[in-house]
Amino acid sequence: MEEQEATLPPKAEFSEWYNDILWRAEIMDVRYPVKGLYVWFPFGFGIRKRVYGVLRELLDRDHEEALFPLLIPENEFMKEAEHIKGFEEEVYWVTHGGTSPLDVKLALRPTSETAIYPMYALWVRSHADLPIKVYQIVNTFRYETKHTRPLIRLREITSFKEAHTVHATWEDAEKTVEEAIALYREFYDRMCIPVLISKRPDWDKFPGADYTIAVDTIMPDGRTLQIGTVHHLGDHFSRTFSICYENLAGEQQYCYQTCYGISERSIAALISLHGDDRGLALPAEVAPTQVVIVPVIMKKREEEVLEAAEVLKKELVTAGYRVKVDTRDLRPGAKYYYWELRGVPLRIEIGPRDIDNGVVTAVTRFGEKSTISREDFISGVQMKMAAMSEAMTTRAVQHIKDHLFPVEDITGLKEVITKGVAAVHWCGCKECADRIEEAADASILGTEVRSELIGNGSGTCVICGKPDSVMTLVGRSY
Ligand SMILES: Nc1ncnc2c1ncn2[C@@H]1O[C@H](COS(=O)(=O)NC(=O)[C@@H](N)CS)[C@@H](O)[C@H]1O
């Protein structure tokens, strides 16, 4: 990569900041010659690898990972009416093999229900085969016509984790929906990303689902980003694809299903929520480099300092950290900038005076400087890392609080909607929803909000004044 220029735009100019940081922190190369397709630089891929490593760790507790084909024959894709309606404008088709036209055209999976469920019909014979809890992490393709944006709105979704489960009863599927929500909460807690979980309005649920629970966060510019969804599919797909089992009475019983997905939007949120004017700030768990050691070179004792730095590195590596010693021939300030831009949580400086005093200097990514005594070095680093993640979570929660506005009338709604998410009471009827969305030039995000930041009490509808109206989030989204 050519040398990075001096500075990032301020994060307040979020769109410029976001595009710039993807380049300067070597996350995404957006120069690939197909709209909506982008290249993962090695450093960015290192973040993805660790973020999805956490996701796999959580899923592997009680799911199995599998892998289904990319290409879906038209006859299977076209089986479920609502699903088709929802995706027919977005699906890519393969029509030729070489120069020969295919007798059956093949869809590039936009999501894999219609690839997986014909196979589930073969896998489920009896009650004993249930539940199935399988996921895959693949690329999927959606011909998005809205503004594409790296990590946020792609035409090739490169990191699409999709779980597809099969159950004997509607209630078993509902229980799995709740478990999936809990898993997503735990995953985003580990990313230090606060989430707003709500039930999407019926007109915005996944095509073919009974209902959709969405996981949203609020980006620096106040717009929301949907960073996960959990769908209860009822028996819509099992009837379409004949996924059934013989029940105790010997009758054919249709199964009940769920599916839930996360994409690289999780990484867009990680970058956007924690980054600042100096660059990325990454939770230690997913930082490609967790500690950078910068030796303070003084000519007369250079060898001694470099040796001390290598000893510190060895101790950190033994303790399980990902460490770099920066011995490049650069001014210290240029080194600090380089590693801060890449979100390294902790910098250790070691010079002759530190050696003489038996300490090292520790500087967190947020600029807190302190000394750690040499004998407590590892435990000192461990405490700093934990404090950093705490600080990240606290800052991100404050950001959500600062962009969440309970309002009681349309005037209030119009005032706050450019700043963030409004919480209003809505009676649940479509007419009032249309009036809310029109007045705010924003969308109803969801009801049944599960967040300690929002009360769930009922109130009077912001449009028609009907009492017992429900707490509802309204916002502008990516
Ligand atoms: N074009 C896109 N680019 C990046 N991420 C996307 C895109 N479209 C959807 N996503 C993400 O993928 C998640 C799952 O997509 S979805 O359509 O809501 N749900 C499904 O496809 C279901 N089959 C569950 S896997 C969404 O919550 C959203 O975070």
Side-chain angles (χ1 to χ4, degrees):
M1 250 62 64
E2 50 256 34
E3 259 314 293
Q4 322 293 357
E5 289 82 58
T7 54
L8 278 171
K11 192 177 172 192
E13 292 153 31
F14 176 63
S15 190
E16 292 78 9
W17 177 89
Y18 180 78
N19 291 331
D20 230 16
I21 203 165
L22 292 182
W23 166 250
R24 288 167 204 272
E26 299 171 40
I27 296 173
M28 280 264 127
D29 192 336
V30 299
R31 295 173 295 183
Y32 193 76
V34 176
K35 179 178 161 64
L37 276 60
Y38 309 102
V39 175
W40 285 97
F41 279 124
F43 181 77
F45 196 77
I47 298 173
R48 174 191 188 271
K49 186 159 56 179
R50 289 183 175 82
V51 169
Y52 278 72
V54 173
L55 189 51
R56 274 199 168 89
E57 175 204 315
L58 299 180
L59 285 161
D60 289 348
R61 285 179 190 154
D62 60 353
H63 295 67
E64 294 174 295
E65 185 171 3
L67 188 56
F68 291 82
L70 163 65
L71 300 176
I72 305 170
E74 182 180 24
N75 52 301
E76 292 297 350
F77 188 81
M78 303 305 264
K79 262 185 185 165
E80 211 287 329
E82 276 188 68
H83 191 72
I84 303 161
K85 199 156 51 54
F87 280 103
E88 66 186 343
E89 291 308 311
E90 291 192 3
V91 66
Y92 283 90
W93 291 101
V94 174
T95 57
H96 285 70
T99 55
S100 347
L102 297 176
D103 49 3
V104 174
K105 66 182 188 180
L106 304 170
L108 292 185
R109 62 188 167 214
T111 171
S112 299
E113 283 74 9
T114 56
I116 295 175
Y117 298 171
M119 303 313 294
Y120 277 179
L122 302 175
W123 293 4
V124 176
R125 309 312 313 151
S126 83
H127 194 279
D129 299 319
L130 299 177
I132 294 179
K133 296 182 77 172
V134 161
Y135 74 95
Q136 63 177 2
I137 299 178
V138 291
N139 59 348
T140 56
F141 293 83
R142 299 187 183 191
Y143 185 65
E144 295 279 359
T145 46
K146 282 168 74 175
H147 180 52
T148 52
R149 198 187 295 265
L151 297 176
I152 289 177
R153 185 171 293 278
L154 315 160
R155 287 189 167 174
E156 175 182 4
I157 306 169
T158 65
S159 314
F160 193 74
K161 185 288 300 171
E162 50 178 329
H164 296 267
T165 71
V166 189
H167 308 273
T169 66
W170 196 92
E171 291 68 21
D172 285 354
E174 183 186 39
K175 188 164 150 290
T176 299
V177 163
E178 290 308 314
E179 288 164 4
I181 292 165
L183 188 148
Y184 282 10
R185 265 190 185 287
E186 187 175 355
F187 171 65
Y188 282 112
D189 282 354
R190 298 265 285 269
M191 298 300 124
C192 307
I193 295 172
V195 293
L196 295 170
I197 295 175
S198 68
K199 184 175 186 180
R200 284 282 188 262
D202 260 1
W203 59 83
D204 198 20
K205 66 186 179 186
F206 182 69
D210 263 6
Y211 64 87
T212 286
I213 304 289
V215 179
D216 292 314
T217 194
I218 304 179
M219 298 285 265
D221 58 0
R223 289 169 65 188
T224 63
L225 183 66
Q226 177 183 283
I227 51 176
T229 26
V230 184
H231 312 290
H232 192 308
L233 302 179
D235 60 0
H236 299 279
F237 285 90
S238 63
R239 288 179 179 279
T240 304
F241 290 94
S242 306
I243 306 172
C244 46
Y245 66 95
E246 197 166 285
N247 67 14
L248 300 179
E251 297 141 352
Q252 284 305 308
Q253 165 77 43
Y254 286 112
C255 298
Y256 292 86
Q257 294 175 264
T258 81
C259 63
Y260 33 103
I262 278 182
S263 77
E264 49 258 63
R265 286 187 178 177
S266 54
I267 296 175
L270 187 73
I271 292 167
S272 307
L273 273 266
H274 302 316
D276 60 18
D277 290 356
R278 295 210 300 269
L280 296 179
L282 295 172
E285 185 166 26
V286 297
T289 297
Q290 293 165 311
V291 183
V292 62
I293 300 170
V294 179
V296 179
I297 306 288
M298 306 290 195
K299 276 296 152 239
K300 53 185 180 310
R301 295 174 60 182
E302 181 170 353
E303 274 318 301
E304 186 188 354
V305 169
L306 288 175
E307 233 165 76
E310 283 306 322
V311 169
L312 291 175
K313 175 181 177 181
K314 251 192 225 68
E315 287 177 23
L316 285 166
V317 168
T318 307
Y321 287 105
R322 297 184 287 276
V323 192
K324 288 251 191 311
V325 180
D326 189 347
T327 55
R328 291 175 299 169
D329 180 15
L330 288 174
R331 288 177 301 97
K335 295 184 181 182
Y336 301 165
Y337 176 80
Y338 180 92
W339 296 107
E340 285 167 359
L341 176 64
R342 285 160 181 76
V344 175
L346 191 64
R347 176 174 81 232
I348 297 292
E349 296 166 17
I350 176 87
R353 258 206 331 281
D354 299 305
I355 295 174
D356 299 343
N357 301 338
V359 296
V360 300
T361 303
V363 186
T364 72
R365 170 61 181 74
F366 294 136
E368 288 98 23
K369 190 165 197 165
S370 61
T371 56
I372 304 177
S373 73
R374 190 68 191 79
E375 61 269 13
D376 302 337
F377 178 53
I378 293 301
S379 58
V381 166
Q382 284 162 341
M383 282 190 313
K384 294 260 172 258
M385 286 296 184
M388 273 291 291
S389 294
E390 279 287 302
M392 271 184 189
T393 303
T394 307
R395 284 175 179 218
V397 168
Q398 192 54 51
H399 163 74
I400 299 291
K401 283 178 179 168
D402 295 346
H403 291 83
L404 204 45
F405 306 97
V407 289
E408 282 312 316
D409 57 35
I410 286 294
T411 316
L413 175 58
K414 287 180 178 175
E415 266 160 28
V416 304
I417 204 66
T418 53
K419 291 185 287 187
V421 174
V424 301
H425 288 100
W426 168 49
C427 63
C429 80
K430 190 69 172 65
E431 294 69 29
C432 288
D434 294 344
R435 301 253 315 267
I436 289 171
E437 295 191 336
E438 188 199 328
D441 185 20
S443 304
I444 284 190
L445 296 172
T447 55
E448 298 174 38
V449 185
R450 308 172 194 217
S451 162
E452 48 291 344
L453 303 179
I454 280 272
N456 240 335
S458 62
T460 57
C461 177
V462 74
I463 298 289
C464 69
K466 189 159 167 283
D468 300 333
S469 295
V470 294
M471 177 58 77
T472 303
L473 298 181
V474 182
R476 291 170 184 170
S477 313
Y478 275 94

